[in-house]
Each structure stands twice: as structure tokens, then as C-alpha cells.
Amino acid sequence: MKVTRRTLLGTIAAGFAAGPHLPAFAEGDWPSRLVRLVSPYGAGGANDISLRILAEQFGRNFNQQFIVENKPGAGTRIANELVARAAPDGYTFLYAAAPYATAEALYGRLKYERKDLQPVAMTVMAPLFLIVNAKASFKNLQEMIGYGKAQPDGLTFASPGAGSQPHLAAELLLRDAGIKGLNVQYRGDAMAYTELLAGRVDATLTAISTALPHIQSGDFRVLGVASADRSAIYPAAPTLREQGFPNVVASGWFGFMAPSATPRPIVERMQQEITRALADPEVKQKLLAQGLEAHSRTAAEFGKFIDDETRKWGEVIRAAGLKGE
């Protein structure tokens, strides 16, 4: 079912009755021209890859072009601000990522406000797996915690950037385990893996797709996964919950957001199409191959999820005294 001219005109009329702040829309059905999907990361990462999988599906189903526009930098704030200030006409969407929920706690006052964007639908989760060097003396999580307690400086974690989800998950694990530790920041997973392979750090929390070659070669060992349930991507990994840490639940996540004044009929139509795309077996398989799980949630569910993540990680950030760079 398309968003018709009559529906849009009705929305505009309602907007005029409520106040002068809604934009005027061109006649015709939506989408009648190219739609921009803004990624807060560069090309080649999980956010970009999953967005391109979905953009291709949207293009076929809408019979319209959906293009991916990469706007990396500043912990996703560049892309967030760009879309927050975009025309609310249904032709620009943000493919938001986990740092969206932690930006204010890390950086303080932002150039945009959360009220400037509205959730459309959640799409994907990237479970974080606890990875260690296969030569490490500890063989499971409890042994790793015992090892950390016996070390003067505790455990060292490699993380792909300050304030990243792996960094915050490691801080939460250290806090709940009651041990000291150090998070060493690197620019991306590759450098973190190099340090882990060299034995200069004890562990990392990471998406398994990038670590899989090292796991298959026998260089890395998987001690668990920080998701609520075991992951279909690597079901042999027990959750950290199962191993005595019920609060340590953390994943990377992605979902669509739109400028806050985007008309509801367009948001609802986009949400329906996202749900449809994520239900497609071929799309699900493509995502799994990238270490990603399809997690379709409505706008309301996604909004509550973001609120919960903001509250949860804000507490972790403040307790650890973290500040974004």
C-alpha cells in the first residue's frame, strides 16, 4: 500500500491546523525520487554493509532508488546532525548506530537534540563475543576473572575506540566482576587483534565476523557472547549471563531514524517496508554471513530500546568517568 497524494494532503492539512512548522510537500506518491540513507560510518563496515543489503531490497520493492551516503566521523555525530537538520520530507533517513544512545553522556551538549530525530524501525544487532588468545592460561570466563583478580593491574581489554560498545561492555564486565582493569583503545578491530595475538592484552569484545579467521585458525578462543540469548551466528558460545554476569548484555545495533517532523504516513510506510525486508530469508542469510542478526522492531519499540540503552550506558559512562574525544 502506497502513501497516496490524498493521505499526504490530509497530513499537511492537519499540520496547518496544529501550527506553521510542518513543511509543504510536492504532489505525488512517496517516494517519487531518490531517497538518501545516511550511514554514520565509512564503507565496508557492518553498518555500511547491512545498509546496502537493505537499500537494494528497498529499491526493488519501492521501484525507486535508495542510495547509501557515508558520513563517518565524530563518533557518529556528523551523520546524526546532518539528518537532524535535513528537510523532513521522507527523502533522508539516518541509519543510526549504538553510539547514538551514548553520545550525550560521552560528549556533553551536542549540536542536535534527540527530539530532532524520530525512530522509524530497528533493523539489526551485532552480538559482541568475548575473545581471548588461544594460548592464554584461562580456558573459560570464570578462570579469566580469577586470573584478573590475581594480577596487580587486573585485566587488559583491547577496544576499537573510546566509548565504543565493546569498550563500554568491557567496563561493565570489569565492574560486575569486581576487578581492576584497563581498556586500551585502538583505531578499529584490526589493531586490537594484532595486540591480542601478540599477547599484549588479555581480551576483547568484538563482532565475530571479523574475528572468525583467527578463531578458525586456532589463534583465538571464544569465551562467551554478551547477548541476552545465545547467538545463531555462533551458538556454541555461552552467554555471559549463563556464566554468572546477568547485567552484561551488550550488542552493536542499527536502525532507521528520520527528522522529527517527517509525516507519520511516510514513517509508517517505511517501517512496514523495513519489516518486510527483514523477514526475507535471503536478506536474513546475507546479514548472518556478516555476523549480524535481523531484529525488526517498530518505531515505538525502537524508541523504548534507545531510551533504555541511553539510561543503561549513561550510568556506566558516568561511573567509569569516561569522556569522549
Side-chain angles (χ1 to χ4, degrees), residues 212-256:
L212 198 57
H214 299 294
I215 296 167
Q216 292 171 333
S217 70
D219 292 323
F220 285 172
R221 179 184 295 120
V222 181
L223 297 191
V225 61
S227 51
D229 302 296
R230 292 201 183 200
S231 172
I233 299 167
Y234 199 84
T239 67
L240 302 190
R241 276 182 164 183
E242 291 175 62
Q243 300 179 76
F245 295 92
N247 296 323
V248 188
V249 177
S251 293
W253 56 261
F254 310 130
F256 286 99

CSV table of all heavy atoms in Angstrom, one decimal, residues 212-256:
chain,number,residue,atom,x,y,z
A,212,LEU,N,36.5,-14.2,13.0
A,212,LEU,CA,36.3,-15.6,12.6
A,212,LEU,C,37.6,-16.2,12.0
A,212,LEU,O,37.9,-17.4,12.3
A,212,LEU,CB,35.1,-15.7,11.7
A,212,LEU,CG,34.6,-17.1,11.5
A,212,LEU,CD1,34.2,-17.7,12.9
A,212,LEU,CD2,33.4,-17.1,10.6
A,213,PRO,N,38.3,-15.5,11.1
A,213,PRO,CA,39.5,-16.2,10.5
A,213,PRO,C,40.5,-16.6,11.6
A,213,PRO,O,41.1,-17.7,11.5
A,213,PRO,CB,40.1,-15.1,9.6
A,213,PRO,CG,38.9,-14.3,9.2
A,213,PRO,CD,38.0,-14.2,10.5
A,214,HIS,N,40.7,-15.8,12.7
A,214,HIS,CA,41.6,-16.1,13.8
A,214,HIS,C,41.0,-17.2,14.6
A,214,HIS,O,41.8,-18.0,15.2
A,214,HIS,CB,41.8,-14.8,14.6
A,214,HIS,CG,42.5,-13.7,13.8
A,214,HIS,ND1,43.7,-13.8,13.3
A,214,HIS,CD2,42.0,-12.5,13.5
A,214,HIS,CE1,44.0,-12.6,12.7
A,214,HIS,NE2,43.0,-11.8,12.8
A,215,ILE,N,39.7,-17.3,14.8
A,215,ILE,CA,39.1,-18.4,15.5
A,215,ILE,C,39.3,-19.7,14.8
A,215,ILE,O,39.7,-20.7,15.3
A,215,ILE,CB,37.6,-18.1,15.8
A,215,ILE,CG1,37.4,-16.9,16.6
A,215,ILE,CG2,36.9,-19.3,16.4
A,215,ILE,CD1,36.0,-16.3,16.7
A,216,GLN,N,39.0,-19.7,13.5
A,216,GLN,CA,39.2,-20.9,12.7
A,216,GLN,C,40.6,-21.4,12.6
A,216,GLN,O,40.9,-22.6,12.5
A,216,GLN,CB,38.6,-20.6,11.3
A,216,GLN,CG,37.1,-20.4,11.3
A,216,GLN,CD,36.5,-19.9,9.9
A,216,GLN,OE1,37.3,-19.3,9.1
A,216,GLN,NE2,35.3,-20.2,9.6
A,217,SER,N,41.6,-20.4,12.6
A,217,SER,CA,43.0,-20.8,12.6
A,217,SER,C,43.5,-21.4,13.9
A,217,SER,O,44.6,-21.9,14.0
A,217,SER,CB,43.8,-19.6,12.2
A,217,SER,OG,43.9,-18.6,13.2
A,218,GLY,N,42.7,-21.2,15.0
A,218,GLY,CA,43.1,-21.7,16.3
A,218,GLY,C,43.9,-20.6,17.1
A,218,GLY,O,44.3,-21.0,18.2
A,219,ASP,N,44.0,-19.4,16.6
A,219,ASP,CA,44.7,-18.4,17.3
A,219,ASP,C,43.9,-17.7,18.4
A,219,ASP,O,44.4,-17.2,19.4
A,219,ASP,CB,45.2,-17.3,16.4
A,219,ASP,CG,46.3,-17.8,15.4
A,219,ASP,OD1,47.1,-18.7,15.9
A,219,ASP,OD2,46.3,-17.4,14.3
A,220,PHE,N,42.5,-17.6,18.2
A,220,PHE,CA,41.6,-17.0,19.2
A,220,PHE,C,40.7,-18.1,19.8
A,220,PHE,O,40.4,-19.1,19.1
A,220,PHE,CB,40.8,-15.9,18.6
A,220,PHE,CG,41.5,-14.6,18.3
A,220,PHE,CD1,40.9,-13.6,17.6
A,220,PHE,CD2,42.8,-14.4,18.8
A,220,PHE,CE1,41.5,-12.4,17.3
A,220,PHE,CE2,43.4,-13.2,18.5
A,220,PHE,CZ,42.8,-12.2,17.8
A,221,ARG,N,40.3,-17.9,21.0
A,221,ARG,CA,39.3,-18.7,21.7
A,221,ARG,C,38.1,-17.8,22.1
A,221,ARG,O,38.3,-16.7,22.5
A,221,ARG,CB,39.9,-19.4,22.9
A,221,ARG,CG,38.9,-20.3,23.7
A,221,ARG,CD,39.4,-20.8,25.0
A,221,ARG,NE,40.5,-21.7,24.7
A,221,ARG,CZ,41.8,-21.5,25.1
A,221,ARG,NH1,42.0,-20.5,25.9
A,221,ARG,NH2,42.7,-22.4,24.9
A,222,VAL,N,36.9,-18.3,21.9
A,222,VAL,CA,35.7,-17.6,22.2
A,222,VAL,C,35.2,-18.1,23.6
A,222,VAL,O,35.0,-19.3,23.8
A,222,VAL,CB,34.5,-17.9,21.2
A,222,VAL,CG1,33.3,-17.1,21.6
A,222,VAL,CG2,35.0,-17.5,19.8
A,223,LEU,N,35.1,-17.1,24.6
A,223,LEU,CA,34.7,-17.5,25.9
A,223,LEU,C,33.2,-17.2,26.2
A,223,LEU,O,32.7,-17.7,27.2
A,223,LEU,CB,35.5,-16.7,27.0
A,223,LEU,CG,37.1,-17.0,27.0
A,223,LEU,CD1,37.7,-16.3,28.2
A,223,LEU,CD2,37.4,-18.5,27.0
A,224,GLY,N,32.6,-16.5,25.3
A,224,GLY,CA,31.2,-16.2,25.5
A,224,GLY,C,30.7,-15.1,24.6
A,224,GLY,O,31.4,-14.5,23.8
A,225,VAL,N,29.4,-14.8,24.8
A,225,VAL,CA,28.7,-13.8,24.0
A,225,VAL,C,27.9,-12.9,24.9
A,225,VAL,O,27.3,-13.4,25.9
A,225,VAL,CB,27.8,-14.4,22.9
A,225,VAL,CG1,26.7,-15.2,23.4
A,225,VAL,CG2,27.3,-13.3,22.0
A,226,ALA,N,28.0,-11.6,24.7
A,226,ALA,CA,27.3,-10.6,25.6
A,226,ALA,C,25.9,-10.3,25.2
A,226,ALA,O,25.4,-9.3,25.6
A,226,ALA,CB,28.1,-9.3,25.7
A,227,SER,N,25.2,-11.2,24.5
A,227,SER,CA,23.8,-11.0,24.1
A,227,SER,C,22.9,-11.6,25.2
A,227,SER,O,23.3,-12.4,26.0
A,227,SER,CB,23.6,-11.6,22.7
A,227,SER,OG,24.0,-12.9,22.6
A,228,ALA,N,21.6,-11.3,25.1
A,228,ALA,CA,20.6,-11.8,26.0
A,228,ALA,C,20.5,-13.3,25.9
A,228,ALA,O,20.3,-14.0,26.9
A,228,ALA,CB,19.3,-11.1,25.9
A,229,ASP,N,20.6,-13.8,24.7
A,229,ASP,CA,20.4,-15.3,24.4
A,229,ASP,C,21.6,-15.7,23.5
A,229,ASP,O,22.3,-14.9,22.9
A,229,ASP,CB,19.1,-15.5,23.7
A,229,ASP,CG,17.9,-15.1,24.5
A,229,ASP,OD1,17.7,-15.7,25.6
A,229,ASP,OD2,17.2,-14.2,24.0
A,230,ARG,N,21.8,-17.0,23.4
A,230,ARG,CA,22.9,-17.5,22.5
A,230,ARG,C,22.6,-17.0,21.1
A,230,ARG,O,21.5,-16.9,20.7
A,230,ARG,CB,23.0,-19.0,22.6
A,230,ARG,CG,23.5,-19.5,23.9
A,230,ARG,CD,24.1,-20.9,23.9
A,230,ARG,NE,24.5,-21.4,25.2
A,230,ARG,CZ,25.4,-22.4,25.3
A,230,ARG,NH1,25.9,-23.0,24.3
A,230,ARG,NH2,25.7,-22.8,26.5
A,231,SER,N,23.7,-16.7,20.4
A,231,SER,CA,23.5,-16.2,19.0
A,231,SER,C,23.5,-17.3,18.0
A,231,SER,O,24.4,-18.3,18.1
A,231,SER,CB,24.7,-15.3,18.7
A,231,SER,OG,24.7,-14.9,17.4
A,232,ALA,N,22.7,-17.2,17.0
A,232,ALA,CA,22.6,-18.2,15.9
A,232,ALA,C,23.9,-18.1,15.1
A,232,ALA,O,24.2,-19.0,14.4
A,232,ALA,CB,21.4,-17.9,15.0
A,233,ILE,N,24.6,-17.0,15.2
A,233,ILE,CA,25.9,-16.8,14.5
A,233,ILE,C,26.9,-17.8,14.9
A,233,ILE,O,27.7,-18.4,14.2
A,233,ILE,CB,26.4,-15.4,14.6
A,233,ILE,CG1,25.3,-14.4,14.0
A,233,ILE,CG2,27.7,-15.2,13.9
A,233,ILE,CD1,25.6,-13.0,14.4
A,234,TYR,N,27.0,-18.0,16.3
A,234,TYR,CA,28.0,-18.9,16.9
A,234,TYR,C,27.3,-19.5,18.1
A,234,TYR,O,27.7,-19.1,19.3
A,234,TYR,CB,29.2,-18.1,17.2
A,234,TYR,CG,30.5,-18.9,17.4
A,234,TYR,CD1,31.3,-19.4,16.4
A,234,TYR,CD2,30.9,-19.3,18.7
A,234,TYR,CE1,32.4,-20.1,16.6
A,234,TYR,CE2,32.0,-20.1,18.9
A,234,TYR,CZ,32.8,-20.5,17.8
A,234,TYR,OH,33.9,-21.2,18.1
A,235,PRO,N,26.4,-20.4,18.0
A,235,PRO,CA,25.6,-20.9,19.1
A,235,PRO,C,26.4,-21.7,20.2
A,235,PRO,O,26.0,-21.9,21.3
A,235,PRO,CB,24.6,-21.9,18.4
A,235,PRO,CG,25.2,-22.2,17.1
A,235,PRO,CD,26.0,-21.0,16.7
A,236,ALA,N,27.7,-22.1,19.9
A,236,ALA,CA,28.5,-22.8,20.8
A,236,ALA,C,28.9,-21.9,22.0
A,236,ALA,O,29.3,-22.4,23.1
A,236,ALA,CB,29.7,-23.4,20.2
A,237,ALA,N,28.9,-20.6,21.7
A,237,ALA,CA,29.4,-19.6,22.8
A,237,ALA,C,28.3,-19.4,23.8
A,237,ALA,O,27.2,-18.9,23.5
A,237,ALA,CB,29.7,-18.3,22.1
A,238,PRO,N,28.5,-19.7,25.1
A,238,PRO,CA,27.5,-19.4,26.1
A,238,PRO,C,27.4,-17.9,26.4
A,238,PRO,O,28.4,-17.2,26.2
A,238,PRO,CB,28.1,-20.2,27.4
A,238,PRO,CG,29.6,-20.2,27.1
A,238,PRO,CD,29.7,-20.3,25.6
A,239,THR,N,26.3,-17.5,26.8
A,239,THR,CA,26.1,-16.1,27.1
A,239,THR,C,26.9,-15.7,28.4
A,239,THR,O,27.1,-16.6,29.2
A,239,THR,CB,24.7,-15.7,27.3
A,239,THR,OG1,24.1,-16.3,28.5
A,239,THR,CG2,23.8,-16.1,26.1
A,240,LEU,N,27.2,-14.5,28.6
A,240,LEU,CA,27.9,-14.1,29.8
A,240,LEU,C,26.9,-14.2,31.0
A,240,LEU,O,27.2,-14.4,32.1
A,240,LEU,CB,28.4,-12.6,29.7
A,240,LEU,CG,29.4,-12.4,28.6
A,240,LEU,CD1,30.0,-11.0,28.7
A,240,LEU,CD2,30.5,-13.5,28.6
A,241,ARG,N,25.6,-14.0,30.7
A,241,ARG,CA,24.5,-14.3,31.6
A,241,ARG,C,24.6,-15.7,32.2
A,241,ARG,O,24.5,-15.9,33.4
A,241,ARG,CB,23.1,-14.1,31.0
A,241,ARG,CG,22.7,-12.6,30.9
A,241,ARG,CD,21.3,-12.6,30.3
A,241,ARG,NE,20.6,-11.3,30.5
A,241,ARG,CZ,19.4,-11.0,30.2
A,241,ARG,NH1,18.7,-11.9,29.5
A,241,ARG,NH2,18.9,-9.8,30.4
A,242,GLU,N,24.7,-16.7,31.3
A,242,GLU,CA,24.8,-18.0,31.8
A,242,GLU,C,26.0,-18.3,32.7
A,242,GLU,O,26.0,-19.2,33.5
A,242,GLU,CB,25.0,-19.0,30.5
A,242,GLU,CG,23.8,-19.1,29.7
A,242,GLU,CD,24.1,-19.9,28.4
A,242,GLU,OE1,24.4,-21.1,28.6
A,242,GLU,OE2,24.0,-19.4,27.3
A,243,GLN,N,27.0,-17.4,32.5
A,243,GLN,CA,28.3,-17.6,33.3
A,243,GLN,C,28.4,-16.7,34.5
A,243,GLN,O,29.5,-16.5,35.0
A,243,GLN,CB,29.4,-17.4,32.3
A,243,GLN,CG,29.4,-18.4,31.2
A,243,GLN,CD,30.6,-18.1,30.2
A,243,GLN,OE1,31.8,-18.5,30.5
A,243,GLN,NE2,30.4,-17.5,29.1
A,244,GLY,N,27.2,-16.2,34.9
A,244,GLY,CA,27.2,-15.5,36.2
A,244,GLY,C,27.2,-14.0,36.1
A,244,GLY,O,27.3,-13.3,37.2
A,245,PHE,N,27.0,-13.4,34.9
A,245,PHE,CA,27.0,-12.0,34.8
A,245,PHE,C,25.7,-11.5,34.0
A,245,PHE,O,25.8,-11.2,32.9
A,245,PHE,CB,28.3,-11.5,34.0
A,245,PHE,CG,29.5,-11.8,34.8
A,245,PHE,CD1,30.2,-13.0,34.6
A,245,PHE,CD2,30.0,-10.9,35.7
A,245,PHE,CE1,31.4,-13.2,35.4
A,245,PHE,CE2,31.1,-11.1,36.5
A,245,PHE,CZ,31.8,-12.3,36.3
A,246,PRO,N,24.6,-11.5,34.8
A,246,PRO,CA,23.3,-11.2,34.1
A,246,PRO,C,23.2,-9.8,33.6
A,246,PRO,O,22.4,-9.6,32.7
A,246,PRO,CB,22.3,-11.5,35.3
A,246,PRO,CG,23.1,-11.3,36.5
A,246,PRO,CD,24.5,-11.8,36.2
A,247,ASN,N,23.9,-8.9,34.1
A,247,ASN,CA,23.8,-7.5,33.6
A,247,ASN,C,24.6,-7.2,32.4
A,247,ASN,O,24.4,-6.2,31.7
A,247,ASN,CB,24.2,-6.5,34.7
A,247,ASN,CG,23.3,-6.6,35.9
A,247,ASN,OD1,22.1,-6.8,35.8
A,247,ASN,ND2,23.9,-6.4,37.1
A,248,VAL,N,25.6,-8.1,32.0
A,248,VAL,CA,26.5,-7.8,30.9
A,248,VAL,C,25.9,-8.2,29.6
A,248,VAL,O,26.1,-9.3,29.1
A,248,VAL,CB,27.9,-8.4,31.2
A,248,VAL,CG1,28.8,-7.9,30.1
A,248,VAL,CG2,28.4,-8.0,32.5
A,249,VAL,N,25.0,-7.4,29.1
A,249,VAL,CA,24.3,-7.6,27.9
A,249,VAL,C,24.6,-6.4,27.0
A,249,VAL,O,24.2,-5.3,27.3
A,249,VAL,CB,22.8,-7.8,28.1
A,249,VAL,CG1,22.1,-8.0,26.7
A,249,VAL,CG2,22.5,-9.0,28.9
A,250,ALA,N,25.3,-6.6,25.9
A,250,ALA,CA,25.7,-5.5,25.0
A,250,ALA,C,25.8,-6.0,23.6
A,250,ALA,O,26.4,-7.1,23.4
A,250,ALA,CB,27.0,-4.9,25.5
A,251,SER,N,25.3,-5.2,22.7
A,251,SER,CA,25.5,-5.6,21.3
A,251,SER,C,25.6,-4.3,20.5
A,251,SER,O,25.0,-3.2,20.9
A,251,SER,CB,24.2,-6.3,20.7
A,251,SER,OG,24.2,-7.6,21.3
A,252,GLY,N,26.2,-4.3,19.4
A,252,GLY,CA,26.1,-3.3,18.4
A,252,GLY,C,24.7,-3.3,17.8
A,252,GLY,O,24.1,-4.4,17.8
A,253,TRP,N,24.1,-2.2,17.4
A,253,TRP,CA,22.8,-2.2,16.8
A,253,TRP,C,22.7,-1.1,15.8
A,253,TRP,O,23.4,-0.1,15.9
A,253,TRP,CB,21.7,-2.1,17.9
A,253,TRP,CG,21.8,-0.9,18.8
A,253,TRP,CD1,22.3,-0.8,20.0
A,253,TRP,CD2,21.3,0.4,18.5
A,253,TRP,NE1,22.2,0.4,20.5
A,253,TRP,CE2,21.6,1.2,19.6
A,253,TRP,CE3,20.7,1.0,17.4
A,253,TRP,CZ2,21.3,2.6,19.7
A,253,TRP,CZ3,20.4,2.4,17.4
A,253,TRP,CH2,20.7,3.2,18.6
A,254,PHE,N,21.7,-1.3,14.9
A,254,PHE,CA,21.5,-0.3,13.8
A,254,PHE,C,19.9,-0.2,13.7
A,254,PHE,O,19.2,-1.1,13.9
A,254,PHE,CB,22.1,-0.7,12.5
A,254,PHE,CG,23.5,-1.1,12.6
A,254,PHE,CD1,24.0,-2.3,12.0
A,254,PHE,CD2,24.5,-0.3,13.2
A,254,PHE,CE1,25.3,-2.7,12.1
A,254,PHE,CE2,25.8,-0.7,13.3
A,254,PHE,CZ,26.2,-1.8,12.7
A,255,GLY,N,19.5,1.0,13.2
A,255,GLY,CA,18.1,1.2,12.9
A,255,GLY,C,17.9,2.5,12.2
A,255,GLY,O,18.8,3.4,12.3
A,256,PHE,N,16.8,2.7,11.6
A,256,PHE,CA,16.5,3.9,10.9
A,256,PHE,C,15.8,4.9,11.7
A,256,PHE,O,14.9,4.6,12.5
A,256,PHE,CB,15.6,3.5,9.7
A,256,PHE,CG,16.3,2.8,8.6
A,256,PHE,CD1,16.2,1.4,8.4
A,256,PHE,CD2,17.1,3.5,7.6
A,256,PHE,CE1,16.9,0.8,7.4
A,256,PHE,CE2,17.7,2.9,6.6
A,256,PHE,CZ,17.6,1.5,6.5
